Amino acid sequence: MRRILYLGPEGTFTEQAARTLVSRVYPDSTFGADPTALSGQARSDVDLILEPAVTVRAAMVEVSAGRAEAVVAPVENSVEGSVPATLDALVAADPIVAVAETVLPVRFSVLAAPGMTAEQVRTVATHPHAAAQVREWLARELPDAVVVSTTSTAAAAVEVLAGRADAAVTAPLAAERYALDVLAADVADVRDAVTSFRLLRLPGRMPEPTGVDRTSLVVTVDDRIGTLADLLTELATRGVNLTRIESRPTRSRLGSYRFFLDLDGHLAERRVADAVAALRRRSQEVRFLGSFPRALPSGCAVAAVISPPESVSDAAFADAAAWVQSLQERSRA
């Protein structure tokens, strides 16, 4: 039986994303909860189990060690940006790669201990990313409450159950998992906020190109003038669209950074492969984090595709390579 881990406890947005991604990546498998809570389902009937992990880093260690099949982790929120814990864990762990992603709309539920009213709430527990997305609502509806940070939105529900907080801002799924009252539902300061999640596992066979793909990398560069411009030039001259760039400290010394890059395209495309090779030549290190189909936000039926110039198509690369080879062969004749 293979384990799929996600940021827990039960009832997080990440669990919801995990169920979506597992159904897509493992369509012929059956999956359930932890075997100790399968609700009578025969353990032999389940190929995959979904298990919560305390942190994304801990889950990645399990995958790297071969004790788990994959981990589902949040990567980026449209309001608060990237999730630093996930980015740092991707670098700290042995190499693992993304094979799929999904995008979920983010609306929250506010849960409280049974019988507690909004007027009685003095402490609200939640994850910092969630707190930032309901800040205006909290100021308006629970102005006397102090926000307490937790490792996840579901962990906030556990804090309320334990009596250490009066209320919790959680994913809607938590309302089904914990014996708490719903003070409010469908809460969000930004109504169209979304979060992207990726399913990551050990390097192996990549998903086939779809024409609407994403390639993710981590690049560590030398500290010199123009180094970032050089990297961007390598992408631009090959018609590779950069959709995200974010710097994170290497933790080796002050002012030393690595860059997380998301590119349009698949490593199987010649222009993308050539660009990645060029980045490798110009950098201290390049870590490949996967090529996989891009996820579409809810309600978006067609992905926006920025078409590269014909001069960097696979056919153009093949024709140029054949021409150079003919010159080389002629010179040796």
Side-chain angles (χ1 to χ4, degrees):
M1 186 182 300
R2 294 170 293 175
R3 303 162 65 215
I4 307 293
L5 306 179
Y6 62 88
L7 179 62
E10 293 182 3
T12 57
F13 283 105
T14 313
E15 181 189 356
Q16 183 180 342
R19 293 183 175 276
T20 299
L21 288 168
V22 168
S23 297
R24 184 188 308 163
V25 177
Y26 305 95
D28 299 325
S29 297
T30 56
F31 68 94
D34 188 299
T36 60
L38 283 177
S39 302
Q41 184 178 19
R43 197 170 168 178
S44 60
D45 294 337
V46 177
D47 301 316
L48 302 169
I49 56 171
L50 298 181
E51 290 185 11
V54 176
T55 65
V56 172
R57 172 71 177 120
M60 289 185 183
V61 168
E62 290 293 290
V63 174
S64 296
R67 294 187 292 267
E69 170 78 9
V71 54
V72 175
V75 175
E76 185 178 12
N77 175 263
S78 61
V79 175
E80 280 298 289
S82 298
V83 181
T86 297
L87 300 187
D88 292 341
L90 282 167
V91 175
D94 290 338
I96 60 176
V97 297
V99 296
E101 73 173 355
T102 191
V103 175
L104 297 183
V106 179
R107 304 285 179 84
F108 298 93
S109 294
V110 180
L111 310 183
M116 178 166 288
T117 65
E119 292 73 19
Q120 296 172 313
V121 173
R122 293 295 178 268
T123 56
V124 177
T126 194
H127 187 277
H129 263 61
Q133 295 177 73
V134 297
R135 187 179 291 117
E136 295 175 11
W137 187 94
L138 289 172
R140 184 176 64 252
E141 303 295 335
L142 301 174
D144 298 326
V146 175
V147 177
V148 179
S149 294
T150 56
T151 57
S152 70
T153 55
V158 173
E159 290 295 289
V160 176
L161 283 174
R164 292 187 291 266
D166 297 330
V169 178
T170 72
L173 187 61
E176 304 173 13
R177 301 294 177 83
Y178 300 96
L180 298 171
D181 289 348
V182 179
L183 288 184
D186 200 35
V187 174
D189 292 343
V190 180
R191 303 305 296 174
D192 57 353
V194 296
T195 297
S196 66
F197 300 82
R198 293 180 187 174
L199 186 146
L200 305 120
R201 62 189 186 192
L202 292 175
R205 184 179 179 84
M206 285 186 291
E208 294 295 324
T210 66
V212 187
D213 302 292
R214 189 188 313 280
T215 293
S216 188
L217 309 166
V218 184
V219 181
T220 305
V221 297
D222 295 322
D223 185 10
R224 60 176 176 78
I225 296 173
T227 183
L228 182 56
D230 289 343
L231 299 185
L232 299 182
T233 299
E234 297 289 2
L235 300 177
T237 56
R238 292 167 176 82
V240 176
N241 185 42
L242 178 67
T243 59
R244 184 172 73 94
I245 180 170
E246 178 150 357
S247 63
R248 293 289 297 161
T250 62
R251 300 185 178 184
S252 60
R253 60 182 174 82
L254 185 65
S256 177
Y257 292 89
R258 56 173 59 94
F259 294 92
F260 290 78
L261 309 179
D262 280 351
L263 321 173
D264 276 350
H266 195 285
L267 192 66
E269 298 175 61
R270 293 285 294 272
R271 64 188 179 89
V272 176
D274 202 55
V276 172
L279 296 184
R280 176 66 181 86
R281 291 195 301 271
R282 286 186 174 271
S283 307
Q284 293 180 14
E285 180 187 12
V286 174
R287 178 174 285 202
F288 176 67
L289 297 180
S291 286
F292 47 89
R294 279 171 49 194
L296 301 180
S298 177
C300 182
V302 179
V305 177
I306 300 176
S307 299
E310 182 60 32
S311 60
V312 292
S313 67
D314 277 9
F317 266 95
D319 180 68
W323 176 72
V324 170
Q325 184 177 1
S326 70
L327 295 178
Q328 294 171 332
E329 291 174 349
R330 195 179 311 158
S331 67
R332 290 193 295 265

